[in-house]
Amino acid sequence: MVKAHSLLYAIYVCLIVAIICGALLYFSNLYNQLNLYYNLQEELYIQNQSVLNFALGNKMAPAEIEKDENSGIEGSYETKPYGLLSLVLARSYISNDSVFSVHFAGARNLDKNAVYLTNFSKSLFYSGSVKLIGNNKLPSTFIETSYINNDLNKLTAEGKITISEMQLPEVNPEFKKIFQGLKSEKTKLSDIEKPNDSLYYNSFFNATKEIEVQSNLGNIIFKGNFIVRSGDSIRVKKNTVLEDVILIAPKITFEAGFKGTVQAFATKGIELEENVTLHYPSVICVYNESETEAKIKIKKECQIRGAVVLFGNASHLIDKNTIEIDEDGLLFGDLYCSGKLMLKSNVYGSVYTNRFFLKTAASSYDNMISNIEINTEKRPDYFISIQLFNTQKTTYGVIKKVL
């Protein structure tokens, strides 16, 4: 004879077993759904990368992408300019799920030219230890020695030396377009939402926001799709954080110790005080089409990864446009100067100028370089330079992922 409480215990046990089995089935179902979700996300990311590769392979020209028949995932992309850089906005999507990405992209630099010095004046002279690694286009195939100090003169030149033209190669027309105006939405700083205190962010999927600022830019953070403009001048203090931002003003100054990623455009001059670091891909550009003086001054221990450009003057106004780069710094990229250039820091890339000059405590020397290295071989293949010239390129690549 079975007691009544024993039946009750059996019911309790069966109920507990049922709950445990139901929970196991429920968690198993959740795990399967989660696994399907992550697999879908992985396929979306893979498809997004494929869309980006397709855009690069298609030289970023507009094109339609066919739907993936196996997964049902669709993809699309668009490209648009951002200063002197190009943006690729890639999207992969299915039903209500999608993955977005934004990259700076550009054409790979196939230029192996170390120095292009126009055949405008006398030959190139050197003093001290000088390395020119790459092809050179100079007024003469012979680089002359000059003794202006007590250092041992040593020239290392690897590559072909050919006679240059009377003029520099014409700079990319896109450089001028920057100074004619950029497509943007003018916005007050107070109207921009801040995710955190002092942080202003704008996605590259949004329209570019243009902000008018006072002369001093300090204790503030700008990240993303911004144009920061001033009608007079901008002084960027070292406690300012700028990431992928465009600066436009007649004069721009970066305080000593500043670090950031910017495209800076001016008409009168740009100055980098000591120990400024501009990360890849940054641009320092001055456009001077007037007869007044314009200057780029880069002081000691500055590092720039990108491009330094001064252009716009007529050939008879070479002395009105000057770039001066002091010692112990590094330019990782390209330098273009339609005026005269004093170069005391190494360049891992290419240098184009109408004239070199060198100032010492005793005198000034024309077409003189001293104790520097200009080396195209130290610019690796994955490094994509700012496109200085409007030439046909065959291979495109990613400069930086920004979203």
Side-chain angles (χ1 to χ4, degrees), residues 335-366:
L335 190 157
Y336 183 98
C337 177
S338 62
K340 55 183 184 177
L341 167 66
M342 183 175 74
L343 183 62
K344 293 184 177 180
S345 288
N346 295 338
V347 177
Y348 295 162
S350 303
V351 174
Y352 296 82
T353 185
N354 275 318
R355 182 186 300 163
F356 285 104
F357 76 101
L358 181 66
K359 290 191 298 186
T360 66
S363 185
S364 180
Y365 304 87
D366 281 340

mmCIF file of all heavy atoms in Angstrom, residues 335-366:
data_model
loop_
_atom_site.group_PDB
_atom_site.id
_atom_site.type_symbol
_atom_site.label_atom_id
_atom_site.label_comp_id
_atom_site.label_asym_id
_atom_site.label_seq_id
_atom_site.Cartn_x
_atom_site.Cartn_y
_atom_site.Cartn_z
ATOM 1 N N LEU A 335 56.627 66.284 -49.501
ATOM 2 C CA LEU A 335 56.746 67.721 -49.316
ATOM 3 C C LEU A 335 56.762 68.392 -50.681
ATOM 4 O O LEU A 335 57.518 68.002 -51.561
ATOM 5 C CB LEU A 335 58.031 68.033 -48.533
ATOM 6 C CG LEU A 335 58.240 69.453 -48.019
ATOM 7 C CD1 LEU A 335 59.210 69.429 -46.836
ATOM 8 C CD2 LEU A 335 58.782 70.395 -49.081
ATOM 9 N N TYR A 336 55.919 69.426 -50.831
ATOM 10 C CA TYR A 336 55.824 70.166 -52.098
ATOM 11 C C TYR A 336 55.909 71.648 -51.772
ATOM 12 O O TYR A 336 55.102 72.172 -51.002
ATOM 13 C CB TYR A 336 54.508 69.843 -52.795
ATOM 14 C CG TYR A 336 54.332 70.491 -54.156
ATOM 15 C CD1 TYR A 336 54.601 69.784 -55.318
ATOM 16 C CD2 TYR A 336 53.861 71.804 -54.280
ATOM 17 C CE1 TYR A 336 54.418 70.357 -56.571
ATOM 18 C CE2 TYR A 336 53.679 72.381 -55.520
ATOM 19 C CZ TYR A 336 53.962 71.661 -56.670
ATOM 20 O OH TYR A 336 53.777 72.226 -57.908
ATOM 21 N N CYS A 337 56.884 72.325 -52.385
ATOM 22 C CA CYS A 337 57.093 73.746 -52.123
ATOM 23 C C CYS A 337 57.322 74.476 -53.438
ATOM 24 O O CYS A 337 58.354 74.281 -54.088
ATOM 25 C CB CYS A 337 58.282 73.949 -51.180
ATOM 26 S SG CYS A 337 58.675 75.673 -50.855
ATOM 27 N N SER A 338 56.376 75.341 -53.816
ATOM 28 C CA SER A 338 56.542 76.102 -55.049
ATOM 29 C C SER A 338 57.381 77.359 -54.826
ATOM 30 O O SER A 338 57.560 78.156 -55.745
ATOM 31 C CB SER A 338 55.179 76.475 -55.632
ATOM 32 O OG SER A 338 54.466 77.299 -54.735
ATOM 33 N N GLY A 339 57.898 77.524 -53.623
ATOM 34 C CA GLY A 339 58.813 78.615 -53.322
ATOM 35 C C GLY A 339 60.192 78.086 -52.993
ATOM 36 O O GLY A 339 60.737 77.255 -53.708
ATOM 37 N N LYS A 340 60.741 78.531 -51.870
ATOM 38 C CA LYS A 340 62.062 78.074 -51.453
ATOM 39 C C LYS A 340 61.944 77.311 -50.135
ATOM 40 O O LYS A 340 61.087 77.603 -49.300
ATOM 41 C CB LYS A 340 63.028 79.244 -51.323
ATOM 42 C CG LYS A 340 62.580 80.363 -50.398
ATOM 43 C CD LYS A 340 63.574 81.506 -50.406
ATOM 44 C CE LYS A 340 63.179 82.598 -49.410
ATOM 45 N NZ LYS A 340 64.179 83.689 -49.357
ATOM 46 N N LEU A 341 62.832 76.352 -49.970
ATOM 47 C CA LEU A 341 62.731 75.389 -48.876
ATOM 48 C C LEU A 341 64.035 75.288 -48.112
ATOM 49 O O LEU A 341 65.087 75.060 -48.713
ATOM 50 C CB LEU A 341 62.347 74.013 -49.446
ATOM 51 C CG LEU A 341 62.479 72.800 -48.522
ATOM 52 C CD1 LEU A 341 61.485 72.886 -47.370
ATOM 53 C CD2 LEU A 341 62.281 71.513 -49.318
ATOM 54 N N MET A 342 63.958 75.456 -46.788
ATOM 55 C CA MET A 342 65.082 75.145 -45.915
ATOM 56 C C MET A 342 64.727 73.877 -45.148
ATOM 57 O O MET A 342 63.797 73.863 -44.342
ATOM 58 C CB MET A 342 65.384 76.284 -44.933
ATOM 59 C CG MET A 342 66.625 75.991 -44.068
ATOM 60 S SD MET A 342 67.122 77.367 -42.973
ATOM 61 C CE MET A 342 65.831 77.256 -41.736
ATOM 62 N N LEU A 343 65.469 72.823 -45.411
ATOM 63 C CA LEU A 343 65.147 71.506 -44.869
ATOM 64 C C LEU A 343 66.289 71.019 -43.979
ATOM 65 O O LEU A 343 67.389 70.764 -44.461
ATOM 66 C CB LEU A 343 64.910 70.516 -46.017
ATOM 67 C CG LEU A 343 64.494 69.105 -45.649
ATOM 68 C CD1 LEU A 343 63.167 69.102 -44.910
ATOM 69 C CD2 LEU A 343 64.414 68.234 -46.896
ATOM 70 N N LYS A 344 66.001 70.867 -42.686
ATOM 71 C CA LYS A 344 67.005 70.380 -41.746
ATOM 72 C C LYS A 344 66.579 69.080 -41.067
ATOM 73 O O LYS A 344 67.301 68.589 -40.194
ATOM 74 C CB LYS A 344 67.291 71.447 -40.679
ATOM 75 C CG LYS A 344 67.967 72.712 -41.213
ATOM 76 C CD LYS A 344 68.304 73.669 -40.077
ATOM 77 C CE LYS A 344 69.034 74.902 -40.584
ATOM 78 N NZ LYS A 344 69.359 75.850 -39.469
ATOM 79 N N SER A 345 65.435 68.545 -41.426
ATOM 80 C CA SER A 345 64.959 67.280 -40.870
ATOM 81 C C SER A 345 64.819 66.247 -41.974
ATOM 82 O O SER A 345 64.683 66.592 -43.157
ATOM 83 C CB SER A 345 63.603 67.469 -40.173
ATOM 84 O OG SER A 345 63.735 68.184 -38.965
ATOM 85 N N ASN A 346 64.847 64.990 -41.604
ATOM 86 C CA ASN A 346 64.763 63.907 -42.579
ATOM 87 C C ASN A 346 63.358 63.796 -43.162
ATOM 88 O O ASN A 346 62.355 64.119 -42.510
ATOM 89 C CB ASN A 346 65.147 62.582 -41.935
ATOM 90 C CG ASN A 346 66.592 62.545 -41.502
ATOM 91 O OD1 ASN A 346 67.418 63.305 -42.009
ATOM 92 N ND2 ASN A 346 66.913 61.678 -40.553
ATOM 93 N N VAL A 347 63.309 63.316 -44.400
ATOM 94 C CA VAL A 347 62.044 63.070 -45.088
ATOM 95 C C VAL A 347 62.051 61.639 -45.598
ATOM 96 O O VAL A 347 62.917 61.260 -46.387
ATOM 97 C CB VAL A 347 61.836 64.040 -46.266
ATOM 98 C CG1 VAL A 347 60.547 63.700 -47.011
ATOM 99 C CG2 VAL A 347 61.796 65.485 -45.791
ATOM 100 N N TYR A 348 61.095 60.849 -45.139
ATOM 101 C CA TYR A 348 60.917 59.492 -45.662
ATOM 102 C C TYR A 348 59.790 59.553 -46.694
ATOM 103 O O TYR A 348 58.631 59.268 -46.412
ATOM 104 C CB TYR A 348 60.585 58.515 -44.555
ATOM 105 C CG TYR A 348 61.710 58.340 -43.542
ATOM 106 C CD1 TYR A 348 61.469 57.796 -42.282
ATOM 107 C CD2 TYR A 348 63.014 58.728 -43.847
ATOM 108 C CE1 TYR A 348 62.495 57.623 -41.364
ATOM 109 C CE2 TYR A 348 64.042 58.571 -42.928
ATOM 110 C CZ TYR A 348 63.777 58.024 -41.689
ATOM 111 O OH TYR A 348 64.795 57.870 -40.768
ATOM 112 N N GLY A 349 60.173 59.995 -47.879
ATOM 113 C CA GLY A 349 59.211 60.220 -48.943
ATOM 114 C C GLY A 349 59.861 61.048 -50.036
ATOM 115 O O GLY A 349 61.046 60.883 -50.323
ATOM 116 N N SER A 350 59.105 61.961 -50.639
ATOM 117 C CA SER A 350 59.588 62.743 -51.772
ATOM 118 C C SER A 350 59.542 64.233 -51.460
ATOM 119 O O SER A 350 58.670 64.695 -50.718
ATOM 120 C CB SER A 350 58.740 62.467 -53.018
ATOM 121 O OG SER A 350 58.744 61.082 -53.339
ATOM 122 N N VAL A 351 60.486 64.978 -52.066
ATOM 123 C CA VAL A 351 60.572 66.427 -51.886
ATOM 124 C C VAL A 351 60.548 67.095 -53.255
ATOM 125 O O VAL A 351 61.354 66.753 -54.132
ATOM 126 C CB VAL A 351 61.851 66.828 -51.133
ATOM 127 C CG1 VAL A 351 61.992 68.348 -51.078
ATOM 128 C CG2 VAL A 351 61.854 66.238 -49.725
ATOM 129 N N TYR A 352 59.637 68.051 -53.440
ATOM 130 C CA TYR A 352 59.541 68.842 -54.662
ATOM 131 C C TYR A 352 59.680 70.317 -54.282
ATOM 132 O O TYR A 352 58.927 70.810 -53.442
ATOM 133 C CB TYR A 352 58.185 68.631 -55.344
ATOM 134 C CG TYR A 352 57.941 67.227 -55.819
ATOM 135 C CD1 TYR A 352 57.497 66.244 -54.945
ATOM 136 C CD2 TYR A 352 58.138 66.880 -57.154
ATOM 137 C CE1 TYR A 352 57.274 64.943 -55.376
ATOM 138 C CE2 TYR A 352 57.914 65.589 -57.597
ATOM 139 C CZ TYR A 352 57.485 64.629 -56.702
ATOM 140 O OH TYR A 352 57.262 63.346 -57.138
ATOM 141 N N THR A 353 60.633 70.992 -54.911
ATOM 142 C CA THR A 353 60.813 72.405 -54.584
ATOM 143 C C THR A 353 61.437 73.157 -55.755
ATOM 144 O O THR A 353 62.143 72.564 -56.589
ATOM 145 C CB THR A 353 61.678 72.579 -53.328
ATOM 146 O OG1 THR A 353 61.729 73.967 -52.979
ATOM 147 C CG2 THR A 353 63.097 72.064 -53.552
ATOM 148 N N ASN A 354 61.175 74.463 -55.800
ATOM 149 C CA ASN A 354 61.818 75.316 -56.797
ATOM 150 C C ASN A 354 63.249 75.668 -56.405
ATOM 151 O O ASN A 354 64.100 75.862 -57.268
ATOM 152 C CB ASN A 354 61.013 76.605 -56.990
ATOM 153 C CG ASN A 354 59.881 76.442 -57.986
ATOM 154 O OD1 ASN A 354 60.048 75.826 -59.032
ATOM 155 N ND2 ASN A 354 58.726 76.976 -57.657
ATOM 156 N N ARG A 355 63.476 75.747 -55.084
ATOM 157 C CA ARG A 355 64.811 76.129 -54.634
ATOM 158 C C ARG A 355 65.013 75.697 -53.192
ATOM 159 O O ARG A 355 64.113 75.821 -52.361
ATOM 160 C CB ARG A 355 64.992 77.647 -54.740
ATOM 161 C CG ARG A 355 66.378 78.153 -54.340
ATOM 162 C CD ARG A 355 66.433 79.669 -54.325
ATOM 163 N NE ARG A 355 66.128 80.202 -55.650
ATOM 164 C CZ ARG A 355 65.794 81.479 -55.845
ATOM 165 N NH1 ARG A 355 65.669 82.313 -54.841
ATOM 166 N NH2 ARG A 355 65.555 81.902 -57.087
ATOM 167 N N PHE A 356 66.197 75.166 -52.897
ATOM 168 C CA PHE A 356 66.623 74.952 -51.525
ATOM 169 C C PHE A 356 67.380 76.189 -51.047
ATOM 170 O O PHE A 356 67.934 76.945 -51.846
ATOM 171 C CB PHE A 356 67.568 73.750 -51.419
ATOM 172 C CG PHE A 356 66.881 72.408 -51.520
ATOM 173 C CD1 PHE A 356 66.954 71.658 -52.686
ATOM 174 C CD2 PHE A 356 66.179 71.888 -50.450
ATOM 175 C CE1 PHE A 356 66.348 70.422 -52.790
ATOM 176 C CE2 PHE A 356 65.563 70.653 -50.536
ATOM 177 C CZ PHE A 356 65.655 69.915 -51.710
ATOM 178 N N PHE A 357 67.411 76.369 -49.743
ATOM 179 C CA PHE A 357 68.327 77.352 -49.175
ATOM 180 C C PHE A 357 68.679 76.911 -47.760
ATOM 181 O O PHE A 357 67.988 76.097 -47.145
ATOM 182 C CB PHE A 357 67.718 78.763 -49.181
ATOM 183 C CG PHE A 357 66.672 79.003 -48.124
ATOM 184 C CD1 PHE A 357 66.978 79.701 -46.956
ATOM 185 C CD2 PHE A 357 65.365 78.551 -48.296
ATOM 186 C CE1 PHE A 357 66.007 79.944 -45.990
ATOM 187 C CE2 PHE A 357 64.397 78.784 -47.342
ATOM 188 C CZ PHE A 357 64.712 79.481 -46.189
ATOM 189 N N LEU A 358 69.784 77.436 -47.272
ATOM 190 C CA LEU A 358 70.265 77.081 -45.938
ATOM 191 C C LEU A 358 70.783 78.332 -45.249
ATOM 192 O O LEU A 358 71.631 79.045 -45.793
ATOM 193 C CB LEU A 358 71.373 76.024 -46.029
ATOM 194 C CG LEU A 358 71.962 75.550 -44.697
ATOM 195 C CD1 LEU A 358 70.917 74.789 -43.883
ATOM 196 C CD2 LEU A 358 73.191 74.669 -44.940
ATOM 197 N N LYS A 359 70.263 78.593 -44.056
ATOM 198 C CA LYS A 359 70.725 79.730 -43.261
ATOM 199 C C LYS A 359 71.586 79.227 -42.111
ATOM 200 O O LYS A 359 71.218 78.288 -41.409
ATOM 201 C CB LYS A 359 69.540 80.524 -42.719
ATOM 202 C CG LYS A 359 68.765 81.298 -43.762
ATOM 203 C CD LYS A 359 67.781 82.269 -43.119
ATOM 204 C CE LYS A 359 66.737 81.555 -42.302
ATOM 205 N NZ LYS A 359 65.695 82.497 -41.800
ATOM 206 N N THR A 360 72.736 79.843 -41.941
ATOM 207 C CA THR A 360 73.599 79.592 -40.800
ATOM 208 C C THR A 360 73.820 80.909 -40.065
ATOM 209 O O THR A 360 73.354 81.967 -40.496
ATOM 210 C CB THR A 360 74.949 79.007 -41.244
ATOM 211 O OG1 THR A 360 75.663 80.008 -42.005
ATOM 212 C CG2 THR A 360 74.767 77.768 -42.101
ATOM 213 N N ALA A 361 74.556 80.832 -38.958
ATOM 214 C CA ALA A 361 74.845 82.054 -38.207
ATOM 215 C C ALA A 361 75.687 83.020 -39.022
ATOM 216 O O ALA A 361 75.631 84.243 -38.818
ATOM 217 C CB ALA A 361 75.560 81.708 -36.905
ATOM 218 N N ALA A 362 76.461 82.483 -39.962
ATOM 219 C CA ALA A 362 77.372 83.334 -40.728
ATOM 220 C C ALA A 362 76.781 83.831 -42.031
ATOM 221 O O ALA A 362 77.044 84.959 -42.450
ATOM 222 C CB ALA A 362 78.669 82.572 -41.013
ATOM 223 N N SER A 363 75.960 82.989 -42.699
ATOM 224 C CA SER A 363 75.532 83.381 -44.041
ATOM 225 C C SER A 363 74.297 82.582 -44.466
ATOM 226 O O SER A 363 73.748 81.780 -43.700
ATOM 227 C CB SER A 363 76.672 83.155 -45.044
ATOM 228 O OG SER A 363 76.322 83.622 -46.322
ATOM 229 N N SER A 364 73.876 82.794 -45.711
ATOM 230 C CA SER A 364 72.778 82.064 -46.311
ATOM 231 C C SER A 364 73.241 81.510 -47.655
ATOM 232 O O SER A 364 73.971 82.181 -48.395
ATOM 233 C CB SER A 364 71.567 82.980 -46.500
ATOM 234 O OG SER A 364 70.496 82.272 -47.094
ATOM 235 N N TYR A 365 72.815 80.280 -47.981
ATOM 236 C CA TYR A 365 73.305 79.598 -49.175
ATOM 237 C C TYR A 365 72.123 79.123 -50.008
ATOM 238 O O TYR A 365 71.168 78.539 -49.486
ATOM 239 C CB TYR A 365 74.179 78.401 -48.795
ATOM 240 C CG TYR A 365 75.338 78.742 -47.893
ATOM 241 C CD1 TYR A 365 75.177 78.757 -46.500
ATOM 242 C CD2 TYR A 365 76.590 79.042 -48.416
ATOM 243 C CE1 TYR A 365 76.241 79.064 -45.665
ATOM 244 C CE2 TYR A 365 77.662 79.351 -47.582
ATOM 245 C CZ TYR A 365 77.478 79.364 -46.218
ATOM 246 O OH TYR A 365 78.537 79.684 -45.388
ATOM 247 N N ASP A 366 72.191 79.340 -51.315
ATOM 248 C CA ASP A 366 71.150 78.895 -52.243
ATOM 249 C C ASP A 366 71.405 77.460 -52.691
ATOM 250 O O ASP A 366 72.553 77.051 -52.899
ATOM 251 C CB ASP A 366 71.096 79.804 -53.473
ATOM 252 C CG ASP A 366 70.361 81.101 -53.184
ATOM 253 O OD1 ASP A 366 69.590 81.140 -52.215
ATOM 254 O OD2 ASP A 366 70.575 82.074 -53.931
#
